[in-house]
Amino acid sequence: MARIVLVEDDETIGDRLARTLRGLGHESTWCPDAASARARAALGPADLVLLDLGLPDADGFELCRELRERLPGAVLVVLSARTGEMDVIQALESGADDYLTKPFRLAELQARLAAHLRRAAPDGSAVAARPLRHGKLEIDRAARRCLTPEGETELRPKEFDLLVRLVTSSGQAVSREELMSDVWDENWFGPTKTLDVHVAALRRKLGGMIKITTLRHYGYRLEPPTG
């Protein structure tokens, strides 16, 4: 059972999704506005957040940044009727891990959520293993911690999963399609721009600890540590 926070102002959509999530065995809290979403975030951790950008009482991107800060361990999925590339990029840069455009098929949403929750599970096969090392970087997959000589670096769920995927293939070229399939979902339907945003975040947060080379028209390669 996952703790899911649904932020959706449309009563018909909100009620339907909340009932669907509960029917799947999850604990679902439906928040019809930003105020109630903030109140729920103050109560404690969540595993997954579904966030509609078009709320009546707040800017959706700003709320996305807030919820990312307040619920750092949650996977954050934006649900929006906005289809422009810049909207997708802004949502990802505001802290979202995934972006699903409305209208969407319920089966697609369920598949996406199952994939995210499976990958985020502490005992999931994608993360539960002995720690990885990359130069001076230590990645504790069981505890989902990224440790440097200066201390722990906080990574968002998908940033952590992407780092693990790259480290396990250090020195090898990995295609965009492989990364999207392994880190996000084997049936990914959305834009691959989300991958670029997460790579940029790893470069920014880990600085000189890692070197990720962009392979034009193909994907990325994490260079082996030096020294």
Side-chain angles (χ1 to χ4, degrees):
M1 182 182 72
R3 299 162 295 180
I4 299 179
V5 179
L6 170 61
V7 188
E8 169 62 66
D9 68 316
D10 186 296
E11 184 173 351
T12 301
I13 296 175
D15 180 66
R16 181 188 180 196
L17 285 181
R19 285 189 287 107
T20 297
L21 293 169
R22 286 193 290 269
L24 293 171
H26 300 304
E27 175 188 312
S28 175
T29 303
W30 174 28
C31 303
D33 51 34
S36 55
R38 293 184 180 107
R40 166 56 186 85
L43 295 177
D47 299 303
L48 190 143
V49 177
L50 296 175
L51 172 63
D52 176 32
L53 291 178
L55 299 172
D57 59 337
D59 175 82
F61 298 114
E62 181 58 38
L63 181 61
C64 186
R65 284 188 287 270
E66 272 190 59
L67 294 178
R68 170 53 62 211
E69 292 178 2
R70 296 189 181 198
L71 301 170
V75 174
L76 203 159
V77 180
V78 163
L79 308 177
S80 177
R82 306 178 190 180
T83 59
E85 182 180 10
M86 291 310 300
D87 291 313
V88 177
I89 294 173
Q90 188 173 353
L92 296 171
E93 292 181 339
S94 296
D97 296 295
D98 195 354
Y99 192 103
L100 190 60
T101 56
K102 298 178 180 179
F104 50 80
R105 293 173 297 164
L106 194 56
E108 180 186 353
L109 175 63
Q110 291 176 5
R112 289 277 190 96
L113 299 190
H116 283 306
L117 293 172
R118 182 173 63 251
R119 286 170 171 81
D123 59 347
S125 59
V127 295
R130 58 188 177 84
L132 292 172
R133 290 191 178 276
H134 182 82
K136 296 180 180 180
L137 192 67
E138 179 179 323
I139 305 164
D140 187 337
R141 289 180 282 183
R144 295 184 68 82
R145 301 179 68 195
C146 178
L147 306 170
T148 72
E150 288 71 39
E152 182 174 357
T153 297
E154 185 174 298
L155 299 179
R156 289 160 43 190
K158 290 303 177 186
E159 292 169 359
F160 185 89
D161 294 341
L162 177 58
L163 178 62
V164 168
R165 179 63 181 84
L166 290 170
V167 169
T168 55
S169 300
S170 179
Q172 301 174 23
V174 188
S175 71
R176 299 177 69 86
E177 291 74 21
E178 285 181 272
L179 291 171
M180 294 304 301
S181 174
D182 294 345
V183 177
W184 278 267
D185 183 2
E186 60 185 6
N187 297 310
W188 178 263
F189 294 102
T192 59
K193 187 65 180 178
T194 185
L195 172 60
D196 303 321
V197 173
H198 282 71
V199 167
L202 289 179
R203 287 169 170 159
R204 183 177 67 254
K205 291 183 177 182
L206 296 176
M209 302 294 295
I210 61 172
K211 180 183 179 182
I212 303 175
T213 299
T214 300
L215 305 175
R216 192 176 181 188
H217 303 311
Y218 185 77
Y220 292 96
R221 181 180 62 241
L222 178 65
E223 303 297 349
T226 57

